[in-house]
DNA sequence: ATAATTAAGGACAAAAATACCTTTAATTAG
DNA sequence: CTAATTAAAGGTATTTTTGTCCTTAATTAT
C-alpha cells in the first residue's frame, strides 16, 4: 500500500507523539529502534517531517532530538502523507489511467470511489494525537521486532 | 497503490477480454499500444498471466498472439493479482507492522479493516468479463494516451 | 523444406526506492 | 572556550522495480 518511507513516517510520528515533549526529546537512535526502521533512512524522513510541513520539531546538540508540540498533535494524519509526498496516492486511478475521471471513468472507477473516499476520510479525520493514544491505551506497540 | 506491473496486468487483461477470441488473437504490439505500456515489459507480465494462473492464453507464430477463453472471463480480478504476486497487498498492515493482528492491532487496524475488506471484496466479486463489458458499454477507454 | 511471424526466455540497462556513511552545523555542558 | 552530542546535509551504495534487447522456439503460410 504505502512506501517504506511513508510507513516509517507514520510510525515515527506516532511514536514521537507517544513519548516526546519539549523537555523530553527523542534521539534518532531511539526512534529508529522503537519503530524498527533503518536509522539513516529514518533520518531523511524525519527531516521531511520537520521541514515540509513542520509536523515535528528538532533540536541539535546534547539533549537534542525530535519532539512534537501539543498543537501539532491535533494535525490529521494527512499532514504526514503530505510531508512525504504521498498525499495524492488515494486520488489516483486504481488502474493507473491518467485520464480517468467522473466523465471518463475506468471500469473500476465507481466501485473504487467509495473505498477511496473512506481512505481519504480516514487520514483526514484521524489526528496524530488520537492514533498515539490508541497506541497507548490498547497497548498497540509500534515496535516491529520479532 | 498498485505497482506498474499490476496496473499493466489489469489493463492488458481487460483489453484482451474486450477484443480477443480464439480466432482473433491480439499481438503484444497491439496490446501494449492500446493500454499505453512498454511492450517488452508488458511481454514479461503477459507471460506471468499465461503461466502462473493461466488467466490468458498465448499462441506463437503467424496469427498468433494472446486471447482469453469465455470460461476464464468469469475469473475474478483477484486471479490477475495472484498471477503478478500482488495478491497479499490488501492483507498487509497499513503501517507495515509484521505483527499487526486482531489481538495485537496497530492504531489504525480496526478503522482500516472495513476498507480493506471492501477492497478484497471488490477484487473477489468483479470478474474479468464484467470489467471488460463496462469498458465497452460506458466507453471507458483503457487507452492512456494524451 | 523454407521463410516469415510471433511469443518465450534470458541477459542486460536504467531508474527509483531504500539504506548507509561521512562531514558539517548547531547546541549544550563543563 | 573546548569538548561532546545530536540533527542536517550531501554523497555513495545497494536493492528493487521498471524497461530493453537479443536469441530461441513454436507455428503458419508458401
Amino acid at each position: 500500500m504505502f512506501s517504506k518511507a511513508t510507513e516509517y513516517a507514520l510510525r515515527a510520528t506516532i511514536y514521537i507523539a507517544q513519548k516526546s515533549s519539549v523537555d523530553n526529546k527523542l534521539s534518532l537512535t531511539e526512534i529508529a529502534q522503537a519503530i524498527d526502521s533503518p536509522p539513516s533512512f529514518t533520518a531523511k524522513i524525519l527531516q521531511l517531517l520537520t521541514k515540509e510541513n513542520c509536523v515535528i520539531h528538532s533540536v541539535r546538540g546534547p539533549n537534542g532530538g525530535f519532539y512534537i508540540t501539543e498543537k501539532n498533535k491535533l494535525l490529521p494524519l494527512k499532514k504526514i502523507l503530505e510531508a512525504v509526498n504521498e498525499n495524492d496516492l488515494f486520488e489516483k486511478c486504481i488502474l493507473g489511467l491518467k485520464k480517468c475521471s467522473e466523465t471518463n471513468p475506468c471500469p473500476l472507477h465507481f466501485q473504487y470511489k467509495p473505498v477511496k473516499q473512506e481512505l481519504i476520510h480516514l487520514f483526514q479525520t484521524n489526528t496524530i494525537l488520537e492514533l498515539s493514544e490508541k497506541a497507548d491505551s490498547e497497548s498497540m506497540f509500534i515496535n516491529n521486532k520479532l
Side-chain angles (χ1 to χ4, degrees), chain A:
Chain A
M1 182 101 206
F2 288 130
S3 66
K4 288 290 173 195
T6 301
E7 288 178 1
Y8 299 155
L10 289 165
R11 301 219 294 264
T13 306
I14 294 170
Y15 182 75
I16 292 168
Q18 270 189 291
K19 303 270 181 153
S20 82
S21 63
V22 191
D23 40 43
N24 183 30
K25 306 182 195 72
L26 308 180
S27 73
L28 169 66
T29 311
E30 178 184 346
I31 296 166
Q33 274 186 1
I35 69 169
D36 188 34
S37 66
S40 306
F41 189 44
T42 307
K44 299 293 183 192
I45 295 157
L46 293 179
Q47 278 181 44
L48 288 177
L49 287 166
T50 55
K51 275 195 307 186
E52 298 299 315
N53 258 302
C54 295
V55 172
I56 60 174
H57 291 87
S58 68
V59 175
R60 295 200 264 205
N63 297 316
F66 300 89
Y67 69 97
I68 186 169
T69 61
E70 292 304 315
K71 187 183 162 203
N72 276 13
K73 284 186 187 175
L74 300 176
L75 292 172
L77 296 183
K78 187 180 188 297
K79 287 284 174 191
I80 301 170
L81 302 187
E82 280 171 15
V84 294
N85 305 308
E86 201 151 23
N87 189 42
D88 58 345
L89 180 74
F90 304 137
E91 311 290 345
K92 290 181 189 158
C93 169
I94 198 167
L95 295 184
L97 297 180
K98 298 172 201 148
K99 298 191 301 183
C100 178
S101 68
E102 292 286 297
T103 49
N104 187 34
C106 81
L108 274 175
H109 186 84
F110 291 113
Q111 286 191 71
Y112 178 54
K113 194 178 173 183
V115 181
K116 182 194 292 192
Q117 283 175 338
E118 279 181 73
L119 282 168
I120 293 170
H121 183 256
L122 207 158
F123 282 84
Q124 265 178 352
T125 56
N126 278 283
T127 65
I128 294 165
L129 178 64
E130 282 165 351
L131 267 278
S132 68
E133 281 172 347
K134 275 192 191 162
D136 277 338
S137 68
E138 305 182 29
S139 69
M140 295 161 171
F141 300 117
I142 298 300
N143 193 307
N144 208 21
K145 295 275 162 44
L146 233 51

